[in-house]
Amino acid sequence: MKISTLAALALSLYGILCASALVAQRVRTEAGTLSGVSEGGLSVYKGVPFAAAPVGELRWRPPVNVAPWTGSRKAESFAPACMQEGVSMPGETPPVVSEDCLYLNIWAPAKNMHERLPVIVWIYGGGYINGSASMPLYWGDRLAHKGVIVVTIAYRVGPLGFLAHPELTRESPHHSSGNYGLMDQIAALEWIQRNIAGFGGDAKNVTIAGQSSGSISVSILMASPRAKGLFQRAVGESGGLLEPLQLGPKFVLANAERDGEKYAASLGATSIKEMRQLPAAKFAGDGGGIVHPVIDPYVLPVSPYEAFAAGKQNDVPLLLGSNADEARALTDVSKVKAATFDSDLEHSFGQLPPALAGAYPHTTDKEAQQARLDFERDLRFSWDMWAWARLQAGMGKAPVYYYSFRQRPPFPAGSVYEGWGASHFAELWYVFDHLDQSPWHWTKADRKVAEEMSSYWVNFARSGDPNGPGLPTWPAFSNTDNEVLYIGDPISVGGVTNIDSLKVFDSVYTSVRGKSFAAQ
């Protein structure tokens, strides 16, 4: 054999070996074998189906198991996101979308299936309007290198995920409709219970975690009897569903059904059969507000507040908190004026108790702008997290760890993030330790916070306690000590921030609870 031929053969064999090194260990699941990819020392499985495509007659039905396949199915590329418009976070690249979207992604450091590693299940935010399980910021590689398996799950959003309608309620054996996106989350957790051991994960050590509406989902899953036993820890970042139903009557099934009828009529459909025949693109938006969970007999029989107040929640260790400047990413206050502050609030939110506006004093326009940001922060995020922490600390046996994120990322001037500070979304770069995904001028302090914050989250997933070697002590929250971890550089411990204005919200909500209200 000529030398050139030998060289060519050697190169060919080398190429085959290199190619095989990029293929992750095959894993047998209940539906068939999966082959993933090896990336940076991890086995990564992308686009893994956890339920059948919710299309045709399966539109607006609970998810069903995926059909088995023969041979080995490639899990080497991300699946499309669920039908949606826009993006869940400014600056994000819009995802490819499809109604066939019930897939999950897995980052696994396990060397073999006999390991039993903690599992973190990430539930994306996006206001139940949009969001993607494959958004690069959510990739689990950095956390997986710290010894956990990370799973990101998809779920239906918008009207395809949350349409309630009398006809759907009648055809349901559970006499409910509207919570299909939540059912998807539960189905993904059930799939993880049945299959994660094959990836080296511990089905009895699962942490659900989410941000924004993903965090709202965490509060719901803790309250849902359907999710009992599917997870052992919970992380909520900047979102919860704890306000009085009296202020949100649209969450009541009868009212949501009426809204669903109006929405169907707006599309020219007179029946659910006709709705199921419409193109999926018709539902890629907010559907006139069809983007919220429903209090229903099956998934969420009572509101999360009621479940926690009665001590009937899924009682697991809870890590939660919010950011110091939440509203800066969401609210334009450039036109806010001191002279019209109260009337502007009333225009946006309706008539409010005088005590609420009075809790945010201001004299100048600049002070009024900050007051509006503070009001929006407390209304949308801070009160929910404080109430959630207090309810779990008071009625649960499992511990609570409460944080306030204060680190200000180096968002560059001229970018969509300019001036955000420690806003909504800002903690995500640090939690996932993904500073290098953005070419900004990260400081040593930023990298230190990312290392500490990601380690806290991994420690919590491992044991239910975020503390560990080399980390500042994070005390458990109680309703007597009220200790909160301030995450910044340096990390410190203090009381609940904005407590005076939060108490005003709490007083108003307490006065509203218990009052009867009629259907819309």
Side-chain angles (χ1 to χ4, degrees), residues 321-355:
S322 57
N323 301 350
D325 304 312
E326 291 276 6
R328 286 191 179 276
L330 306 169
T331 307
D332 180 9
V333 296
S334 60
K335 297 181 181 179
V336 171
K337 304 292 183 184
T340 59
F341 184 87
D342 290 354
S343 60
D344 289 343
L345 276 184
E346 185 172 340
H347 177 75
S348 297
F349 300 101
Q351 189 171 5
L352 299 173

Side-chain angles (χ1 to χ4, degrees), residues 354-405:
L356 278 182
Y360 301 89
H362 54 274
T363 302
T364 67
D365 289 346
K366 185 176 182 180
E367 290 172 346
Q369 291 170 358
Q370 185 60 54
R372 179 60 181 268
L373 289 171
D374 292 346
F375 175 85
E376 299 263 3
R377 174 201 63 208
D378 294 347
L379 171 70
R380 299 190 190 198
F381 307 105
S382 297
W383 181 85
D384 278 284
M385 310 318 282
W386 182 49
W388 191 359
R390 286 182 296 147
L391 286 165
Q392 176 60 27
M395 299 303 296
K397 296 179 181 179
V400 182
Y401 295 91
Y402 192 172
Y403 73 85
S404 172
F405 180 78

Side-chain angles (χ1 to χ4, degrees), residues 159-480:
L160 288 172
F162 294 95
L163 177 70
H165 191 282
E167 192 176 337
L168 289 173
T169 300
R170 285 194 297 271
E171 74 177 26
S172 164
H174 311 290
H175 310 293
S176 67
S177 61
N179 284 330
Y180 305 103
L182 297 175
M183 294 181 206
D184 294 341
Q185 295 171 14
I186 292 170
L189 291 172
E190 291 172 336
W191 186 95
I192 289 166
Q193 285 295 305
R194 299 190 301 267
N195 294 280
I196 202 64
F199 300 85
D202 184 354
K204 299 306 178 186
N205 192 0
V206 173
T207 298
I208 56 171
Q211 183 263 351
S212 197
S213 57
S215 181
I216 292 174
S217 291
V218 171
S219 73
I220 292 171
L221 292 171
M222 285 190 71
S224 173
R226 285 278 293 109
K228 186 175 180 60
L230 299 181
F231 57 93
Q232 289 70 45
R233 331 215 184 282
V235 175
E237 302 172 25
S238 303
L241 186 63
L242 283 304
E243 293 85 358
L245 280 179
Q246 287 80 356
L247 299 178
K250 65 183 179 180
F251 287 85
V252 176
L253 180 58
N255 296 332
E257 289 175 333
R258 268 185 281 277
D259 289 341
E261 286 182 299
K262 293 176 184 176
Y263 175 61
S266 75
L267 297 176
T270 59
S271 68
I272 289 299
K273 180 179 180 179
E274 291 182 8
M275 290 282 280
R276 286 185 171 128
Q277 293 172 346
L278 291 175
K282 285 277 189 181
F283 310 105
D286 69 358
I290 312 294
V291 290
H292 59 81
V294 178
I295 309 301
D296 77 305
Y298 183 50
V299 177
L300 192 60
V302 298
S303 73
Y305 186 96
E306 293 173 294
F308 277 88
K312 294 182 178 180
Q313 76 276 27
N314 296 313
D315 189 6
V316 299
L318 173 63
L319 185 156
L320 83 172
S322 57
N323 301 350
D325 304 312
E326 291 276 6
R328 286 191 179 276
L330 306 169
T331 307
D332 180 9
V333 296
S334 60
K335 297 181 181 179
V336 171
K337 304 292 183 184
T340 59
F341 184 87
D342 290 354
S343 60
D344 289 343
L345 276 184
E346 185 172 340
H347 177 75
S348 297
F349 300 101
Q351 189 171 5
L352 299 173
L356 278 182
Y360 301 89
H362 54 274
T363 302
T364 67
D365 289 346
K366 185 176 182 180
E367 290 172 346
Q369 291 170 358
Q370 185 60 54
R372 179 60 181 268
L373 289 171
D374 292 346
F375 175 85
E376 299 263 3
R377 174 201 63 208
D378 294 347
L379 171 70
R380 299 190 190 198
F381 307 105
S382 297
W383 181 85
D384 278 284
M385 310 318 282
W386 182 49
W388 191 359
R390 286 182 296 147
L391 286 165
Q392 176 60 27
M395 299 303 296
K397 296 179 181 179
V400 182
Y401 295 91
Y402 192 172
Y403 73 85
S404 172
F405 180 78
R406 299 180 169 203
Q407 186 73 6
R408 299 172 65 87
F411 295 130
S415 74
V416 68
Y417 313 111
E418 181 179 0
W420 274 14
S423 65
H424 199 57
F425 310 112
E427 88 284 4
L428 292 172
W429 282 272
Y430 300 84
V431 166
F432 285 94
D433 196 10
H434 272 323
L435 305 191
D436 290 334
Q437 283 191 0
S438 299
W440 303 331
H441 297 297
W442 300 102
T443 65
K444 289 183 178 180
D446 289 312
R447 296 191 181 281
K448 179 171 177 284
V449 171
E451 168 62 25
E452 292 170 331
M453 198 169 187
S454 59
S455 294
Y456 279 132
W457 264 236
V458 168
N459 290 343
F460 180 76
R462 184 176 292 118
S463 68
D465 184 338
N467 291 289
L471 293 172
T473 300
W474 187 341
F477 176 85
S478 74
N479 290 329
T480 53

